[in-house]
Amino acid sequence: MKTYKMVKSAFPDFIELIKTKGKLFGPVKQKSKYSFEEISDVKDLDFDYQRTVLGVKKFLTPPKYKTLTFNKEGTKDIIDEPETNIVIGVHPCDIHAVKILDRLFLGNIKDPYYASRRENLTIIGHSCLPDDKCLCQSTGTDMVEDGFDLFLTELDDYYLVWVGSDKGLALTIAASDLLSEDISDETIREYVRWQQKRSSMFKTVMPSFKYMADIITLNYDSEIWEQFGEKCLSCGTCSLVCPTCNCFNVDDKILMNAEEGFRERMLDSCTLPYYSMVAGDHDFRPDRTTRLKLYYTHKLKEYIGRWGQPGCVGCGRCVTYCPVDINVLTVSEALFGEVCETKEVCE
Ligand code: SF4
Ligand code: SF4
């Protein structure tokens, strides 16, 4: 992987250059929250954040969009040529989330809507420092080696610029006046010191996380699920903010003239009522407990069986936004606590 140095005073010029390559989005503070918004002025960018409300999935699987139109003659796919979007300031956990989405949507059966948006998205990562809701050290997603086009590690008065793809390389060639290849031993030492400092800043650890797939299996009938189910409001927030949750519903809408219509795809959540409703009004998961079990079993166990890693990247959004404190941390701790109590396996 090619690496460059960029002094911070060159950053505004770098942003101006990037803006000539596509529509630029980055973290912007809005009241107390952050979101990826279009950037017209470098001053709007605020990298001093832990998590945006929505991750990069908002560029790849928007909450709602039309996929085809139909009339009496037949159907017509709507795969718009998306704009070239560049998103800067993406943290390692969110890049891992995109890698998970890529595996799902660009695997054996390629989703053309996702593929076209992904093709036109450039990801520029940015280093971060954790708060007490960041779980990525426990989920093994606090560092990232690929899945980005460029990655900026912010050190004292310069950035280390890591190149992760041909697209990223093309950007560095265009920005060659702003970059230097002078990576000295002192630069390397400073980088290692920064990484060590960052590692020591993680306050919340989930030692049980690596056993979670087994613990969920062993505790599948535990009363803990009922306790969480009683509290859950079925609001769906946890999956809407989760950067790896990607379930969607499809709805055909017929226009008033009854001659034509369109098909719409919208994000869905397995924690919402009617998610598992099928023809004949049969609902496989009518209660909150079974829906929560599905959410966590899928995320923390089934993903591992299928993809070799959990579907949680430790971003802390569910920790931040669930109104009743049901999240990957509280669920993992409760299930692990149950095993500890009954089987005396942990101190
Ligand atoms: S389960 Fe929670 S911590 Fe894990 S990726 Fe989803 S929102 Fe982030
Ligand atoms: S677990 Fe929390 S965020 Fe998720 S549906 Fe239930 S109440 Fe809403």
Side-chain angles (χ1 to χ4, degrees), residues 313-327:
V313 294
C315 70
R317 288 184 176 89
C318 56
V319 182
T320 308
Y321 292 114
C322 172
V324 292
D325 212 19
I326 302 172
N327 54 60

Side-chain angles (χ1 to χ4, degrees), residues 232-238 271 292 322-324 326:
C232 176
L233 306 172
S234 284
C235 64
T237 302
C238 45
T271 56
L292 274 184
C322 172
V324 292
I326 302 172

Side-chain angles (χ1 to χ4, degrees), residues 28 42 48 52 90 163 185 194 264 266 283 289 332 342 347:
V28 172
V42 65
D48 188 17
T52 49
V90 185
V163 181
D185 287 351
W194 180 84
E264 212 168 42
M266 66 218 70
D283 193 341
T289 300
S332 299
T342 55
E347 290 296 306

